[in-house]
Amino acid sequence: MTDPQNPYEAPSSDLLAKHESDVGALLDEPRKLSAAGGLAWIGRAWGYFMQSPLNWVLMILILFALLFLLSLIPVLGPVMTTLIMPALVAGFMLSCRDLDGGKALTVERLFGAFSLPQRNRFFLVGGLYIAATIGVFLVVSLVTMLIMVAVVGVSGLESHLGEAPAPQEISGPAAAVVAASILISMLLFIPVVMAFYFAPALIAFHDLRVMNALGLSFRGVLRNILPLLVLAIVMLLLSILAFIPFMLGYLVLGPVAIITFYVGYREIFLEE
């Protein structure tokens, strides 16, 4: 069955279980790891980094420069960034796979996913992420407005439209509305992140359709909330330390953080 986004693509299977690739076969169901697993991923990611530290730093520099240049483009810049980001993340995944196979890491591998037959799926993943983000924003805006109507009434809401409240005014009911909006945003956006977290690796290595990859990624993250929470906390602490020496620490922490995607993917989804 060919990809509708690419009529010249070779036929492939949609099967999830036992789908073979050169990195291994997918498990029937994602593996559940202990909370300490998230901390171990950082150590393993560091091992990948130390195999070719200069090239990893060059890759993250190129990525930062590309994202900065795109940010200078009004409106379209952020859209283009989101569309290509899954392919760039997949480029890091391919780089890790090369090291696993005993190959030398090359900087141009950052763009390796753009030459894969399933490259259009990465753009589709980015597009769906944009759509999901807009959807979350609209739902949160609607629910927030309904909460405000319930709290202050229609007349009170009309009097506040177009006015930015002063900091001292954000108290009582208004503070409750703000807190509710933040909570709703988190509850809606966390599942989005879960679905997209491992999708680039699953598409790159197992040729999965986009919706299959998103669903499998969601299940994998759902079964491993604790190790991923530990990983997030440790990465937050490391990011604070990386910020201190003129932000130079991000040249190391950036690649290591992205490599943890690959390490986690291997341990959660692949047969041993």
Side-chain angles (χ1 to χ4, degrees), residues 49-96:
F49 177 82
M50 290 305 296
Q51 292 186 54
S52 187
L54 178 58
N55 282 339
W56 282 120
V57 169
L58 289 175
M59 287 173 67
I60 203 67
L61 278 173
I62 293 172
L63 177 62
F64 287 163
L66 178 60
L67 298 183
F68 173 74
L69 291 175
L70 288 175
S71 71
L72 300 179
I73 304 175
V75 183
L76 289 179
V79 174
M80 294 172 62
T81 297
T82 307
L83 288 176
I84 67 173
M85 185 55 71
L88 295 173
V89 171
F92 276 90
M93 304 299 99
L94 293 172
S95 300
C96 293

Side-chain angles (χ1 to χ4, degrees), residues 118-210:
Q118 59 268 41
R119 57 186 173 273
N120 289 338
R121 298 179 201 173
F122 298 116
F123 302 137
L124 181 56
V125 167
L128 289 175
Y129 188 85
I130 293 173
T133 302
I134 294 174
V136 168
F137 173 77
L138 292 176
V139 171
V140 171
S141 299
L142 176 61
V143 173
T144 300
M145 185 173 295
L146 292 175
I147 294 175
M148 290 184 66
V149 169
V151 173
V152 303
V154 176
S155 59
L157 176 62
E158 291 176 346
S159 65
H160 285 83
L161 287 177
E163 298 179 6
Q168 62 271 20
E169 296 178 357
I170 304 179
S171 60
V177 171
V178 172
S181 299
I182 295 174
L183 180 59
I184 294 170
S185 299
M186 292 178 60
L187 290 176
L188 292 177
F189 200 70
I190 287 175
V192 173
V193 175
M194 292 169 65
F196 287 85
Y197 197 86
F198 291 112
L202 292 169
I203 293 172
F205 297 135
H206 304 282
D207 199 23
L208 297 188
R209 302 297 173 184
V210 169

Side-chain angles (χ1 to χ4, degrees), residues 22 48 51 94-105 262:
D22 54 358
Y48 280 96
Q51 292 186 54
L94 293 172
S95 300
C96 293
R97 193 266 309 272
D98 288 347
L99 292 176
D100 279 343
K103 299 179 182 178
L105 177 65
Y262 179 78

